[in-house]
mmCIF file of all heavy atoms in Angstrom:
data_model
loop_
_atom_site.group_PDB
_atom_site.id
_atom_site.type_symbol
_atom_site.label_atom_id
_atom_site.label_comp_id
_atom_site.label_asym_id
_atom_site.label_seq_id
_atom_site.Cartn_x
_atom_site.Cartn_y
_atom_site.Cartn_z
ATOM 1 N N LEU A 383 -170.690 314.329 -137.603
ATOM 2 C CA LEU A 383 -170.413 314.684 -138.988
ATOM 3 C C LEU A 383 -170.202 316.179 -139.154
ATOM 4 O O LEU A 383 -169.975 316.664 -140.265
ATOM 5 C CB LEU A 383 -171.505 314.156 -139.928
ATOM 6 C CG LEU A 383 -172.931 314.658 -139.829
ATOM 7 C CD1 LEU A 383 -173.094 315.954 -140.588
ATOM 8 C CD2 LEU A 383 -173.864 313.619 -140.416
ATOM 9 N N GLY A 384 -170.275 316.918 -138.059
ATOM 10 C CA GLY A 384 -169.907 318.327 -138.121
ATOM 11 C C GLY A 384 -171.041 319.234 -138.536
ATOM 12 O O GLY A 384 -170.871 320.128 -139.356
ATOM 13 N N LEU A 385 -172.213 319.030 -137.962
ATOM 14 C CA LEU A 385 -173.330 319.929 -138.234
ATOM 15 C C LEU A 385 -173.092 321.252 -137.524
ATOM 16 O O LEU A 385 -172.755 321.259 -136.345
ATOM 17 C CB LEU A 385 -174.623 319.294 -137.726
ATOM 18 C CG LEU A 385 -175.898 320.068 -138.057
ATOM 19 C CD1 LEU A 385 -176.301 319.784 -139.488
ATOM 20 C CD2 LEU A 385 -177.013 319.712 -137.098
ATOM 21 N N PRO A 386 -173.251 322.371 -138.207
ATOM 22 C CA PRO A 386 -173.058 323.669 -137.532
ATOM 23 C C PRO A 386 -173.975 323.777 -136.317
ATOM 24 O O PRO A 386 -175.138 323.358 -136.362
ATOM 25 C CB PRO A 386 -173.444 324.686 -138.603
ATOM 26 C CG PRO A 386 -173.176 323.987 -139.882
ATOM 27 C CD PRO A 386 -173.464 322.545 -139.638
ATOM 28 N N GLY A 387 -173.432 324.339 -135.252
ATOM 29 C CA GLY A 387 -174.205 324.408 -134.024
ATOM 30 C C GLY A 387 -173.784 323.327 -133.052
ATOM 31 O O GLY A 387 -174.240 323.284 -131.923
ATOM 32 N N THR A 388 -172.905 322.445 -133.473
ATOM 33 C CA THR A 388 -172.333 321.477 -132.528
ATOM 34 C C THR A 388 -170.821 321.680 -132.507
ATOM 35 O O THR A 388 -170.256 322.327 -133.393
ATOM 36 C CB THR A 388 -172.634 320.039 -132.957
ATOM 37 O OG1 THR A 388 -172.037 319.828 -134.237
ATOM 38 C CG2 THR A 388 -174.107 319.772 -133.037
ATOM 39 N N THR A 389 -170.196 321.116 -131.485
ATOM 40 C CA THR A 389 -168.754 321.304 -131.362
ATOM 41 C C THR A 389 -168.010 320.674 -132.529
ATOM 42 O O THR A 389 -166.954 321.140 -132.926
ATOM 43 C CB THR A 389 -168.246 320.678 -130.062
ATOM 44 O OG1 THR A 389 -168.729 319.339 -129.995
ATOM 45 C CG2 THR A 389 -168.682 321.447 -128.861
ATOM 46 N N GLY A 390 -168.570 319.590 -133.087
ATOM 47 C CA GLY A 390 -167.907 318.916 -134.191
ATOM 48 C C GLY A 390 -167.663 319.848 -135.369
ATOM 49 O O GLY A 390 -166.609 319.794 -136.012
ATOM 50 N N PHE A 391 -168.617 320.725 -135.627
ATOM 51 C CA PHE A 391 -168.467 321.652 -136.744
ATOM 52 C C PHE A 391 -167.296 322.592 -136.517
ATOM 53 O O PHE A 391 -166.448 322.780 -137.388
ATOM 54 C CB PHE A 391 -169.755 322.459 -136.918
ATOM 55 C CG PHE A 391 -169.599 323.615 -137.851
ATOM 56 C CD1 PHE A 391 -169.492 323.402 -139.214
ATOM 57 C CD2 PHE A 391 -169.542 324.899 -137.368
ATOM 58 C CE1 PHE A 391 -169.332 324.466 -140.074
ATOM 59 C CE2 PHE A 391 -169.372 325.963 -138.231
ATOM 60 C CZ PHE A 391 -169.269 325.750 -139.586
ATOM 61 N N LEU A 392 -167.254 323.190 -135.319
ATOM 62 C CA LEU A 392 -166.228 324.197 -135.049
ATOM 63 C C LEU A 392 -164.838 323.622 -135.209
ATOM 64 O O LEU A 392 -163.965 324.253 -135.813
ATOM 65 C CB LEU A 392 -166.407 324.724 -133.627
ATOM 66 C CG LEU A 392 -167.353 325.897 -133.548
ATOM 67 C CD1 LEU A 392 -167.717 326.165 -132.114
ATOM 68 C CD2 LEU A 392 -166.674 327.104 -134.170
ATOM 69 N N GLY A 393 -164.640 322.422 -134.677
ATOM 70 C CA GLY A 393 -163.313 321.814 -134.755
ATOM 71 C C GLY A 393 -162.872 321.651 -136.199
ATOM 72 O O GLY A 393 -161.823 322.153 -136.604
ATOM 73 N N GLU A 394 -163.733 321.002 -136.988
ATOM 74 C CA GLU A 394 -163.347 320.751 -138.375
ATOM 75 C C GLU A 394 -163.186 322.055 -139.144
ATOM 76 O O GLU A 394 -162.267 322.213 -139.954
ATOM 77 C CB GLU A 394 -164.393 319.855 -139.048
ATOM 78 C CG GLU A 394 -164.202 318.391 -138.700
ATOM 79 C CD GLU A 394 -165.268 317.493 -139.271
ATOM 80 O OE1 GLU A 394 -166.140 317.999 -140.013
ATOM 81 O OE2 GLU A 394 -165.249 316.290 -138.962
ATOM 82 N N PHE A 395 -164.080 322.992 -138.872
ATOM 83 C CA PHE A 395 -164.048 324.270 -139.579
ATOM 84 C C PHE A 395 -162.722 324.990 -139.335
ATOM 85 O O PHE A 395 -162.046 325.438 -140.262
ATOM 86 C CB PHE A 395 -165.234 325.112 -139.102
ATOM 87 C CG PHE A 395 -165.381 326.408 -139.819
ATOM 88 C CD1 PHE A 395 -165.679 326.422 -141.181
ATOM 89 C CD2 PHE A 395 -165.229 327.610 -139.155
ATOM 90 C CE1 PHE A 395 -165.824 327.628 -141.855
ATOM 91 C CE2 PHE A 395 -165.365 328.807 -139.829
ATOM 92 C CZ PHE A 395 -165.665 328.817 -141.176
ATOM 93 N N LEU A 396 -162.324 325.074 -138.051
ATOM 94 C CA LEU A 396 -161.071 325.772 -137.725
ATOM 95 C C LEU A 396 -159.880 325.054 -138.355
ATOM 96 O O LEU A 396 -158.965 325.692 -138.882
ATOM 97 C CB LEU A 396 -160.896 325.852 -136.214
ATOM 98 C CG LEU A 396 -161.801 326.865 -135.505
ATOM 99 C CD1 LEU A 396 -161.728 326.688 -134.007
ATOM 100 C CD2 LEU A 396 -161.387 328.268 -135.890
ATOM 101 N N VAL A 397 -159.910 323.726 -138.303
ATOM 102 C CA VAL A 397 -158.800 322.978 -138.906
ATOM 103 C C VAL A 397 -158.716 323.293 -140.389
ATOM 104 O O VAL A 397 -157.637 323.565 -140.926
ATOM 105 C CB VAL A 397 -158.983 321.456 -138.696
ATOM 106 C CG1 VAL A 397 -158.010 320.681 -139.565
ATOM 107 C CG2 VAL A 397 -158.788 321.095 -137.247
ATOM 108 N N LEU A 398 -159.880 323.317 -141.051
ATOM 109 C CA LEU A 398 -159.860 323.567 -142.497
ATOM 110 C C LEU A 398 -159.379 324.986 -142.792
ATOM 111 O O LEU A 398 -158.624 325.198 -143.750
ATOM 112 C CB LEU A 398 -161.248 323.304 -143.091
ATOM 113 C CG LEU A 398 -161.626 321.815 -143.110
ATOM 114 C CD1 LEU A 398 -163.055 321.631 -143.597
ATOM 115 C CD2 LEU A 398 -160.669 321.031 -143.981
#
Side-chain angles (χ1 to χ4, degrees):
Chain A
L383 64 83
L385 185 80
T388 61
T389 51
F391 168 73
L392 272 167
E394 280 176 4
F395 184 65
L396 286 170
V397 168
L398 290 175

